Amino acid sequence: MPSIGAGFVCRDGNKCSKVKSSAEAFLKFGGRLLDTAPTYGHGKSHEYIRQAIKSSAVPRDKVWIMTKIPAVAMGYEKTLLRLNQTLLELRTDYLDVALIHRPNNAAVEKVRKVYVDRELRLSTWQALQKARQLGIIRYAGVSNFGEAYLNELSEAGLPRPAVNELEFNPLVSPEQRDLVQFCHDNGIAVVGYNSLGGQRAQRGALAKLGSD
């Protein structure tokens, strides 16, 4: 997996078309890991990523596409359907990495459409293992999973994730740093998001880091 990637989240519907140009620029300057999700870009991120890859001179086998299973698509059958829909949207034969987007309903849209519980997490994870066997995805992973959720998978007799995508930057808590160490100790690759601090970053804090 490439050591440097870019996430293509867009929450402003008037600016989401810039996802395509941003991805094109990232590929042009050597970036190879594209992090996306069905819910990004007001549902259009996969289409923009597809267009960017097509317009670039980078062969598909040199690009890593990482996408996610949102809460509304969790469950064994729904997950497999979502993955096949993603293949159609990206017009690719396989995905490099597919993640369970989150383990619970924290940060899910205000109108809850599904309650994420243990049964839903495990059935979704089983579907990702099936997708690996079918060659739909190369690696199965998770996002925002703490130690208890990671242990839940192994305690159920299921493989550990290949990847855990977490917020990681100089401002994260000691507990978050411990979680990163736990992943490393258990052979789980960590992909960091909000690398510049995300919403918690303040100009003063970033300026101080830059001057230290």
Side-chain angles (χ1 to χ4, degrees):
M1 183 166 62
S3 59
I4 298 176
F8 295 92
V9 181
C10 177
R11 296 184 175 88
D12 185 340
N14 296 321
K15 298 179 180 179
C16 288
S17 60
K18 293 184 179 179
V19 168
K20 177 177 178 288
S21 58
S22 297
E24 287 173 335
F26 182 69
L27 291 168
K28 178 180 179 180
F29 290 105
R32 293 296 180 265
L33 172 58
L34 306 177
D35 180 15
T36 183
T39 54
Y40 291 176
H42 288 246
K44 296 181 179 179
S45 183
H46 284 166
E47 173 65 17
Y48 294 137
I49 294 297
R50 179 192 69 77
Q51 293 174 2
I53 294 173
K54 182 179 180 180
S55 65
S56 76
V58 183
R60 169 64 184 93
D61 62 357
K62 301 299 183 183
V63 178
W64 277 63
I65 300 176
M66 181 163 65
T67 189
K68 304 172 184 72
I69 304 298
V72 294
M74 289 179 70
Y76 192 89
E77 297 296 336
K78 285 185 176 181
T79 294
L80 293 176
L81 287 172
R82 177 63 258 179
L83 289 172
N84 279 290
Q85 181 62 33
T86 295
L87 295 179
L88 291 174
E89 292 166 353
L90 289 164
R91 297 187 190 175
T92 184
D93 295 328
Y94 67 94
L95 302 168
D96 296 280
V97 188
L99 312 175
I100 300 177
H101 205 157
R102 53 178 59 88
N104 52 42
N105 286 90
V108 175
E109 62 276 2
K110 293 181 180 179
V111 180
R112 181 178 294 178
K113 297 179 181 178
V114 61
Y115 182 77
V116 180
D117 58 11
R118 179 179 183 275
E119 181 180 353
L120 207 56
R121 287 189 295 273
L122 294 182
S123 62
T124 302
W125 189 240
Q126 289 168 331
L128 290 179
Q129 303 313 306
K130 182 63 174 180
R132 284 188 63 227
Q133 295 173 7
L134 295 172
I136 296 174
I137 65 174
R138 296 176 63 198
Y139 298 97
V142 295
S143 179
N144 303 303
F145 270 52
E147 186 174 336
Y149 290 120
L150 293 170
N151 285 333
E152 179 182 77
L153 300 177
S154 56
E155 289 167 2
L158 298 171
R160 283 197 181 274
V163 176
N164 191 8
E165 185 174 35
L166 304 166
E167 180 175 9
F168 192 69
N169 55 62
L171 304 178
V172 299
S173 67
E175 292 77 14
Q176 191 78 340
R177 294 178 185 275
D178 289 344
L179 176 56
V180 170
Q181 187 61 54
F182 175 85
C183 290
H184 288 166
D185 291 343
N186 286 276
I188 303 171
V190 173
V191 172
Y193 67 83
N194 282 348
S195 302
L196 296 178
Q199 295 181 352
R200 291 183 297 177
Q202 301 294 323
R203 288 187 178 183
L206 291 178
K208 183 177 183 304
L209 287 172
S211 63
D212 287 345

